[in-house]
Amino acid sequence: MRKSLALVLLAVLVACSGSSKTATISSPDAGPEIFTGSIGAARYTIEVPHPWNGTLFLYSHGYVSPGGTSGAAAAPDGPTGQWLLDGGYALAASSYSSSGWAIEDALKDQIALLDFFEKRIGKPKRVIAWGGSLGGIITAGLVQLHPDRFAGAMPLCGVLAGGIATWNSELDAAYAFKTLLAPTSALQLVHITDPDANGQLADQVLNAAAVSPQGKARLGLVAALTDLPGWFDPRLPEPAEADYSGRVLAQIEWESRVDFNFAFRYRKELEQRAGGNPSWNKGVDYGALLAGSPDRNEVQALYSQAGLDLQSDVRSLNAGANIKADAKAAAYLERFISFDGGLSVPTLSIHTTGDGLVVPPNESAYAQVVGAAGKSEMLRQLFVHRAGHCTFSAAETIAALGVLLRRLDSGRWDDAALQPEALNAAALAQGAAANQFFGFALQPAFAAFTPAPHPRPFAKGSAIPA
């Protein structure tokens, strides 16, 4: 993959994102009134159009690598933000007080910003929470914890399986990778001491494995356990279902360029926050995870071509699955945050089908808990057939926003407007400038899609093995 695309994918992982003193940096005559400043360690941006229609969109940005910094951009992209401002909607966003798995801080910072907005600007008639990637889980967390403060929500490419499920899946990938490809290495799965050295070692193991049929087969098994898609480059068509060689190469791209950073580097920051290891695989049946994966046929074919015994590898995985969570750390990760499904505001989520960082089964996990709580009428989920994490065009985001706003205005979902054909037409109507991503043109690609079940779902309140 060319360096330019790698930079694109890195860019979508880190969203463009602060004392309570504010500075007005524009005048009403010049467009929206813009306020910037900070609340504690969190910077903020507020944009208020004139006239303001009384609705505020509170945006939550995505993951920022540990030690990194983020701005406080109030929308995922310029055209979408401008569309909202032109419609009379106010925008606000916080940079959060910290980087990494900053959910605890973000939940506080966003509510503090909402309080500040009400004091400084005025009380909105309604507030809509929205955000991408980590901002998606923060968005869902805000409406779960503070349902009285919000009228609706739109998580984009959100980590909607929750913290426990997400980091358990990261552990599954890391564990299978080490067990099958570097069992005697010093690679650390939990209680990571030096994340940079650990990540470099993982890179070395992966690079060595990726050049042989046996290594590719085992990397394919690692990918299947977490439902990684076999599609990486959003500029290219999805490899055919039976193009196993093409699909495993895409999965290796996800592992090497994106996911293993979390599994072998960024887990250190999470463990520091949580006070220990919050993840476990004790008692996990990896054969069952493989059987439930949409990639199982690919794995079987790759193992056969490589002359490997798949069942022997699965037995090895099951035999060593004895990692336990530290109870206090697991409790922390459940608080920040897992979901109970008690959705009380209309919520419209949107996800790409080829997302290998926040896999589409996140949507299945969220729909499952919402359904179990009897709140399915509050939730609708949209899918864009495209590779990449959060690789939506502005036009697609605007089309989805239009559907959510109609739901809030009318009190009911417009089923016709939720159909892929209608959404694609609405996106196309935004024009060529809005139908692109990082400079390359896109056709609107909403599609009917049913994601696989999440491999390790965890609803809030579920048992954590001792």
Side-chain angles (χ1 to χ4, degrees), residues 94-440:
S94 168
S95 70
Y96 316 151
S97 302
S98 62
S99 57
W101 192 258
I103 293 176
E104 179 181 12
D105 290 333
L107 293 170
K108 295 175 183 176
D109 293 335
Q110 292 290 63
I111 292 299
L113 178 56
L114 182 53
D115 291 341
F116 177 78
F117 185 98
E118 292 183 358
K119 181 179 179 180
R120 179 65 176 82
I121 309 299
K123 185 175 179 62
K125 295 177 183 177
R126 64 185 182 187
V127 182
I128 299 170
W130 65 320
S133 192
L134 191 77
I137 187 175
I138 292 164
T139 294
L142 285 168
V143 300
Q144 176 168 295
L145 297 174
H146 307 280
D148 57 317
R149 304 295 297 271
F150 298 94
M154 194 169 88
L156 300 98
C157 45
V159 191
L160 297 179
I164 291 282
T166 295
W167 286 97
N168 272 346
S169 283
E170 291 291 349
L171 178 61
D172 287 335
Y175 166 74
F177 176 74
K178 179 178 181 178
T179 300
L180 299 177
L181 293 166
T184 62
S185 74
L187 200 59
Q188 293 178 310
L189 306 181
V190 298
H191 300 298
I192 294 169
T193 54
D194 185 337
D196 289 334
N198 204 50
Q200 290 170 7
L201 179 55
D203 292 343
Q204 293 168 8
V205 173
L206 186 145
N207 290 337
V211 298
S212 72
Q214 293 77 19
K216 288 178 182 176
R218 286 177 165 139
L219 289 169
L221 174 55
V222 172
L225 297 176
T226 58
D227 289 347
L228 284 189
W231 190 14
F232 185 78
D233 190 336
R235 301 167 301 179
L236 299 177
E238 181 176 12
E241 185 175 348
D243 180 7
Y244 301 135
S245 60
R247 297 185 74 86
V248 74
L249 289 177
Q251 290 163 339
I252 292 171
E253 293 270 40
W254 280 115
E255 291 167 339
S256 64
R257 296 179 181 272
V258 182
D259 294 300
F260 279 7
N261 283 320
F262 289 83
F264 295 109
R265 289 181 171 92
Y266 302 160
R267 179 178 283 277
K268 169 68 173 178
E269 186 274 338
L270 172 69
E271 292 180 335
Q272 289 175 325
R273 281 185 185 274
N277 164 42
S279 306
W280 68 89
N281 72 349
K282 181 183 178 182
V284 170
D285 183 344
Y286 286 98
L289 290 190
L290 176 60
S293 171
D295 302 322
R296 59 188 176 275
N297 290 339
E298 172 196 321
V299 174
Q300 290 168 349
L302 292 173
Y303 263 73
S304 177
Q305 293 166 11
L308 292 175
D309 186 338
L310 176 57
Q311 293 309 311
S312 176
D313 275 0
V314 170
R315 287 193 296 271
S316 295
L317 293 176
N318 287 344
N322 55 17
I323 298 172
K324 299 179 181 179
D326 300 323
K328 290 184 179 180
Y332 176 90
L333 191 53
E334 184 178 21
R335 290 197 304 277
F336 304 112
I337 190 170
S338 291
F339 296 112
D340 59 19
L343 194 56
S344 60
V345 301
T347 297
L348 181 68
S349 66
I350 177 173
H351 221 110
T352 52
T353 61
D355 189 339
L357 176 57
V358 182
V359 294
N362 274 269
E363 301 289 342
S364 300
Y366 195 60
Q368 181 180 354
V369 296
V370 170
K375 297 292 185 177
S376 294
E377 182 52 34
M378 287 292 180
L379 178 66
R380 294 294 185 271
Q381 296 176 308
L382 303 177
F383 296 92
V384 171
H385 184 245
R386 184 174 299 128
H389 177 55
C390 304
T391 48
F392 311 115
S393 69
E396 288 162 339
T397 303
I398 290 168
L401 284 168
V403 172
L404 178 60
L405 287 167
R406 285 195 291 277
R407 168 62 178 83
L408 296 178
D409 291 339
S410 69
R412 62 180 181 82
W413 294 107
D414 184 340
D415 292 335
L418 284 162
Q419 298 305 307
E421 296 81 3
L423 290 160
N424 288 331
L428 198 60
Q430 294 299 317
N435 280 283
Q436 57 176 288
F437 182 81
F438 275 76
F440 59 90

